[in-house]
Amino acid sequence: MSEQLPGGGIELSPAEIEALGARWSSCWTPGEVARHLDGIAAPWCVAAGWALDLFLGRQTREHGDIEIAIPAASFPEVRDRFPCYVFDGAGSGRIWADATPDVLAAVHQTWLRDPATGNYLVDVFREPHDGDTWICRRDETIRLPYRDTIHRTGDGIPYLAPELVLLFKAKHARQKDQADFGATVPRMTAAQRETLAGLLARVHPGHPWLADL
């Protein structure tokens, strides 16, 4: 993604940001997303808070939206699954309706919108990669084969490895992120905790979570 935001778009006011919760209230579940993407070749996965609940095997809290991650180059394959919907670009408090290529190059979040209602259904993260290798957008020296980043539930829903989800959550460590960390770490293997500790020390040296790993 480029570092400079494109022109246009709408800068959201505080009231409009607050109102986004209502626009996400009818977002899909992981199972619904999986049904829509069944059979695509791209190595996609559920990300963020829902990914941790899939790892835990139960829903631990309410989720205001749902995010999935895909290789950036695979976005056309995903977009073609939704000919009756619109993808808006989102980032830095702005929304670009029906995102153009210059917007897609500048932001990594793409919100699928139902044009009939204006509601959002799924947030698609278009992630950096090198072929079949996942690249961490927080530190591009962290690279892993997709087979090591994506796990699956018993019924086949792909989700991002919990140690990678928590790495992304560590940047802000909001109340919900703290709750996710507390619920997830006890269920992680020793190897997963060791991996998370190494990644945190690399990306966020001195992070408070390191003391609990």
Side-chain angles (χ1 to χ4, degrees), residues 55-138:
F55 167 69
L56 294 170
R58 60 187 177 88
Q59 185 172 346
T60 61
R61 62 174 175 84
E62 292 297 319
H63 299 279
D65 57 7
I66 184 168
E67 298 103 333
I68 68 169
I70 62 167
S74 298
F75 180 63
E77 183 182 10
V78 173
R79 182 176 52 201
D80 288 348
R81 286 295 181 102
F82 306 102
C84 298
Y85 297 89
V86 179
F87 277 101
D88 295 345
S92 300
R94 302 184 75 88
I95 293 178
W96 291 263
D98 200 2
T100 56
D102 63 320
V103 172
L104 296 178
V107 299
H108 78 278
Q109 288 184 268
T110 333
W111 295 355
L112 181 65
R113 172 168 51 88
D114 182 346
T117 64
N119 289 341
Y120 289 113
L121 303 172
V122 62
D123 184 357
V124 179
F125 293 169
R126 291 166 291 103
E127 301 286 87
H129 66 107
D130 181 5
D132 292 331
T133 299
W134 173 85
I135 300 174
C136 177
R137 67 176 183 271
R138 297 274 170 81

Side-chain angles (χ1 to χ4, degrees), residues 108-188:
H108 78 278
Q109 288 184 268
T110 333
W111 295 355
L112 181 65
R113 172 168 51 88
D114 182 346
T117 64
N119 289 341
Y120 289 113
L121 303 172
V122 62
D123 184 357
V124 179
F125 293 169
R126 291 166 291 103
E127 301 286 87
H129 66 107
D130 181 5
D132 292 331
T133 299
W134 173 85
I135 300 174
C136 177
R137 67 176 183 271
R138 297 274 170 81
D139 181 341
E140 293 195 353
T141 66
I142 300 172
R143 298 170 177 238
L144 296 166
Y146 276 108
R147 65 177 179 273
D148 293 341
T149 69
I150 298 176
H151 298 184
R152 291 184 180 272
T153 64
D155 52 356
I157 300 175
Y159 63 90
L160 188 63
E163 58 270 31
L164 300 179
V165 176
L166 291 173
L167 173 65
F168 286 117
K169 283 180 164 288
K171 180 178 181 179
H172 299 294
R174 299 157 295 186
Q175 183 176 357
K176 66 179 180 179
D177 301 322
Q178 291 288 161
D180 287 345
F181 178 82
T184 304
V185 167
R187 295 284 301 278
M188 294 169 66

